[in-house]
Amino acid sequence: MDKVSGQKSAGTYLYPPIEPFDQRMLDVGDGHTLYVEQSGNPDGLPVVVFHGGPGGGCSPMMRRYFDPARYRIILFDQRGCGRSRPHARVEDNTTWHLVADIERIRETLGLDRWLVFGGSWGATLALIYAQAHPDHVAYLILRGVFLSTKRELDWFYQGGAGVFWPENWKQFEDLIPVDERHDMIAAYHRRLFSSDLAEEARYARAWTAWENGLASIETNGIGGSGPSDYARAFARLENHYFSNGCFLNEDQQILSNMDRIGHVPGVIVQGRFDMICPPLSAYTLAQAWPAARISFVAKAGHALSEPGITAELVRTMDGIAAQKSAQN
């Protein structure tokens, strides 16, 4: 776990590890099968977790943000990543496929409404899903907000964040010829989808290391890329989505449709020093969302595992559970 000086480790705030009571592979069509699991209380308050990326996959730690006695915790790997199959596949893999998959999961589990918990790309997907199906969302809990705009993508992939991390940016940029650097996402796309596995692996590791190196406030810039199969899925899927504007119809689509979910209660937890998803997006979202509360975490960056962010998210989920219990 990342540590911040003067704070406890993130694990201190989490509930103890638990095992799922249900694990399954769900056929969602188009040749895709999703890994889906449930843990906690089968009769508890249902909460579904949207992981980041796109392409990141869920992890056992994500179960631990919720009181297992009070929550029915639903995790799944989105198309092409984690334990879902086929691995790293981008065909029939768009935001709207994912929204349909989420509805398939909800219906399969026999749920009418659920809480939606997501960070980074997971927050993006949560907002898009909620706008498409507001009647099925009881609460939104978002972390490290990304609104899928050109401004945000330019910040991270055209040198904005590189102002703070010039040595990391140089490593990321130097792999691309000078005459292609005006569009780094497109330049990496050509190499991540070159059909040369060695080249794809090299650029996948670079793409993933650039992001991982900036995730935590305590980072020294060395983030690593993880196992090669993970890096390839993460980089290819993320680049695929970003190359296509996350398959939205307009740059400001999420903000333009906030009237659809303005009544849905929500909490936004945002690291003050988030280098990947700067706080302006979270602030702008909160201004357009009357039923939401925003909490800036002072000594935190982007990572879910940062102590301040973890503490605030666990406190939030405990508070929602207590509120729901009081209403019953």
Side-chain angles (χ1 to χ4, degrees):
M1 292 293 180
D2 299 319
K3 294 186 178 181
V4 176
S5 178
Q7 295 187 8
K8 299 176 182 178
S9 71
T12 305
Y13 302 103
L14 295 173
Y15 283 93
I18 54 172
E19 293 299 317
F21 64 78
D22 172 46
Q23 293 175 289
R24 65 181 80 185
M25 298 298 293
L26 180 65
D27 186 344
V28 291
D30 307 311
H32 285 274
T33 306
L34 305 189
Y35 170 79
V36 181
E37 67 167 53
Q38 300 185 80
S39 57
N41 182 351
D43 297 317
L45 193 61
V47 57
V48 61
V49 179
F50 295 174
H51 64 69
C58 64
S59 73
M61 190 188 75
M62 293 177 180
R63 306 168 191 151
R64 300 176 59 192
Y65 285 78
F66 315 95
D67 182 346
R70 297 195 283 186
Y71 279 104
R72 178 179 175 181
I73 308 153
I74 302 153
L75 272 59
F76 72 101
D77 290 327
Q78 296 160 26
R79 292 191 180 204
C81 64
R83 285 157 285 189
S84 294
R85 293 292 179 267
H87 192 66
R89 177 178 166 180
V90 299
E91 290 78 18
D92 298 307
N93 195 334
T94 71
T95 303
W96 305 108
H97 285 103
L98 301 188
V99 169
D101 292 348
I102 294 160
E103 275 296 274
R104 178 76 64 89
I105 293 169
R106 183 188 62 78
E107 292 168 356
T108 298
L109 299 182
L111 299 171
D112 180 37
R113 300 172 79 225
W114 52 5
L115 284 73
V116 178
F117 179 106
S120 195
W121 160 251
T124 318
L125 184 58
L127 288 162
I128 295 167
Y129 169 73
Q131 290 175 355
H133 299 283
D135 293 342
H136 297 309
V137 178
Y139 219 108
L140 283 166
I141 305 92
L142 310 179
R143 184 267 313 168
V145 168
F146 170 58
L147 298 177
S148 185
T149 63
K150 185 177 185 301
R151 175 186 59 79
E152 292 165 302
L153 292 173
D154 284 349
W155 160 262
F156 201 64
Y157 294 109
Q158 285 303 136
V163 172
F164 290 88
W165 293 95
E167 69 277 35
N168 292 61
W169 176 250
K170 187 175 189 304
Q171 291 179 356
F172 184 72
E173 185 182 50
D174 278 355
L175 290 174
I176 302 299
V178 174
D179 63 353
E180 294 186 56
R181 292 179 188 173
H182 63 283
D183 190 341
M184 293 291 284
I185 292 175
Y188 266 84
H189 183 85
R190 284 187 279 275
R191 292 155 178 87
L192 289 169
F193 294 89
S194 68
S195 298
D196 179 331
L197 289 180
E199 181 178 61
E200 289 182 4
R202 180 188 182 199
Y203 284 87
R205 287 192 295 269
W207 178 279
T208 307
W210 163 242
E211 182 164 333
N212 287 349
L214 275 62
S216 169
I217 195 173
E218 283 292 283
T219 184
N220 59 7
I222 302 173
S225 59
S228 59
D229 60 338
Y230 170 85
R232 184 170 179 270
F234 182 86
R236 280 167 57 91
L237 284 166
E238 198 167 71
N239 183 280
H240 165 68
Y241 272 73
F242 296 164
S243 293
N244 289 284
C246 293
F247 302 94
L248 302 184
N249 295 325
E250 58 173 297
D251 190 55
Q252 298 287 331
Q253 180 168 327
I254 292 174
L255 291 175
S256 296
N257 289 301
M258 284 306 295
D259 60 306
R260 297 183 184 180
I261 59 170
H263 63 287
V264 177
V267 174
I268 303 166
V269 176
Q270 179 69 39
R272 178 65 73 180
F273 298 100
D274 189 332
M275 285 286 162
I276 298 174
C277 297
L280 178 60
S281 294
Y283 178 78
T284 304
L285 177 66
Q287 295 298 107
W289 189 3
R293 169 178 67 83
I294 189 167
S295 176
F296 287 107
V297 181
K299 295 181 179 179
H302 183 71
L304 172 63
S305 61
E306 299 218 45
I309 289 175
T310 294
E312 184 61 25
L313 287 171
V314 172
R315 184 161 47 245
T316 295
M317 299 315 300
D318 285 349
I320 293 172
Q323 180 185 32
K324 295 294 184 182
S325 295
Q327 292 172 352
N328 294 335

